[in-house]
Amino acid sequence: MGSEAKSCCTPNRPDASALEAPANFEHGTPARDAVEIPGGQSLVGTNTPYLPEDCEGPLRKTKVKRFWMERGAVTNAQFAAFVQATGYETEAERIGWTFVFGAQVPDSYGATEGVLEAQWWRRVDGASWRAPNGPGTEDAALPDHPVVQVSWSDAKAYASWAGGRLPTEAEWEHAARGGLGDVTFPWGDEAPTDAGPDYPCNIWQGRFPTANTRADGYETTAPAISFEPNGYGLYNMVGNVWEWTSEAFRLRSMKREIREREKAFKGYKLLKGGSFLCHASYCFRYRIAARSGNTPDSTTTHQGFRLVYDQP
């Protein structure tokens, strides 16, 4: 179809309709599973950017106040409770279609249209958080796995109901570092490999996008609480699903070509953390400093979110 991909990571709808998602819900009472993240000096970015075009660098110091962050991404069970309490309809449901990774589209679905420069992303009518890979795939929305096919506006609506908010980039990176300082991953600097034997996060193993060995145990999402936590007790801060933040996707640079490039991303929102579709050979964005962006109404099978709170 005529849509263009921002990158392999996050395909966006061809027309960023930016539908207004209602967010004036009475606060819900979801069970919080949040840990305290200490305030103080925070590091953002890196002095050794792998993808300088994403403006991953330079390393900057800032300050953050103490906050609380959910140990894992918001799950299907939690999102279902929100929908049941409010009657909320997600943007993918209202628009009527969303993006599904080609290998997960059911054989019975028939022909689909792909994104121009990333044909593994397919338009699937009727896919939503309830059936993330299309009609008939409701069993893929496992209760303890991160909810996907949710837009930035959907995430904001849930946060309003739950009494939380989406994190800033500085808060997200501060939490992901887990007290280790200037590190590449939440566990340190050692990069995962296809060969293992240990797998610290849920990413792609094999040859992207045609062969996934699933050596880490998962073809798509893993439970929100899985693999080893970082130093602050947070799970899956990289890999598994991209996480929406509260910020616009900005390219911080004085270079004219970068400033010109940024114009194409007007209105985009920032995502952090990478996903189960990331692999070093193609999308090495499962690093703390890595960044991506998407239109606020775009939804995919590998985008979710987690909440932070200003009070315990």
Side-chain angles (χ1 to χ4, degrees):
M1 69 190 193
S3 58
E4 295 182 359
K6 182 263 168 184
S7 72
C8 64
C9 299
T10 53
N12 59 273
R13 296 185 186 279
D15 299 308
S17 54
L19 298 176
E20 284 296 324
N24 296 321
F25 301 114
E26 293 184 6
H27 283 185
T29 55
R32 290 186 184 178
D33 188 14
V35 295
E36 181 180 343
I37 309 299
Q41 181 174 278
S42 169
L43 301 176
V44 183
T46 177
N47 283 330
T48 55
Y50 185 83
L51 296 169
E53 65 271 25
D54 290 345
C55 292
E56 297 176 351
L59 185 71
R60 308 180 307 284
K61 295 180 180 179
T62 186
K63 288 186 178 295
V64 297
K65 295 180 180 180
R66 178 179 60 167
F67 60 97
W68 285 258
M69 177 177 266
E70 292 281 356
R71 292 195 304 143
V74 172
T75 65
N76 285 299
Q78 290 171 312
F79 199 79
F82 160 62
V83 170
Q84 183 175 8
T86 64
Y88 183 79
E89 186 177 41
T90 62
E91 292 199 276
E93 291 171 299
R94 282 183 279 154
I95 293 170
W97 67 271
T98 183
F99 291 107
V100 176
F101 187 69
Q104 273 76 61
V105 178
D107 293 337
S108 60
Y109 186 83
T112 56
E113 296 176 305
V115 173
L116 286 177
E117 297 180 358
Q119 286 291 312
W120 48 85
W121 284 114
R122 314 302 294 180
R123 168 180 169 151
V124 175
D125 293 344
S128 72
W129 75 275
R130 301 176 188 273
N133 298 322
T137 64
E138 288 80 5
D139 58 348
L142 296 170
D144 61 341
H145 284 226
V147 65
V148 295
Q149 300 292 20
V150 285
S151 69
W152 183 83
S153 300
D154 298 332
K156 289 276 289 184
Y158 178 94
S160 177
W161 172 77
R165 58 180 176 82
L166 298 177
T168 65
E169 184 171 22
E171 288 173 333
W172 190 95
E173 288 203 18
H174 182 59
R177 295 175 192 278
L180 295 181
D182 182 14
V183 292
T184 306
F185 307 102
W187 55 85
D189 289 318
E190 185 175 355
T193 68
D194 286 3
D198 297 319
Y199 298 94
C201 62
N202 179 22
I203 55 175
W204 186 283
Q205 291 92 39
R207 185 182 297 276
F208 185 87
T210 57
N212 185 354
T213 68
R214 297 172 288 176
D216 61 14
Y218 300 97
E219 182 175 7
T220 60
T221 58
I225 305 298
S226 59
F227 295 89
E228 291 296 318
N230 75 353
Y232 289 151
L234 301 168
Y235 291 81
N236 290 307
M237 288 298 288
V238 298
N240 215 22
V241 294
W242 282 99
E243 298 184 3
W244 289 110
T245 72
S246 63
E247 294 190 27
F249 179 65
R250 295 187 177 93
L251 300 178
R252 299 175 295 267
S253 176
M254 297 299 293
K255 294 181 179 179
R256 179 180 298 177
E257 62 269 26
I258 297 295
R259 294 203 304 271
E260 287 298 314
R261 181 170 173 260
E262 185 180 33
K263 293 178 182 178
F265 305 133
K266 183 178 180 180
Y268 278 45
K269 300 300 182 180
L270 176 69
L271 292 138
K272 297 287 287 185
S275 80
F276 64 85
L277 293 176
C278 286
H279 189 266
S281 67
Y282 197 87
C283 178
F284 189 27
R285 289 185 173 91
Y286 48 96
R287 295 168 291 108
I288 293 172
R291 7 189 10 256
S292 190
N294 211 344
T295 58
D297 63 342
S298 288
T299 52
T300 71
T301 51
H302 72 334
Q303 289 177 184
F305 66 99
R306 81 175 72 205
L307 296 190
V308 297
Y309 306 93
D310 296 316
Q311 300 292 333

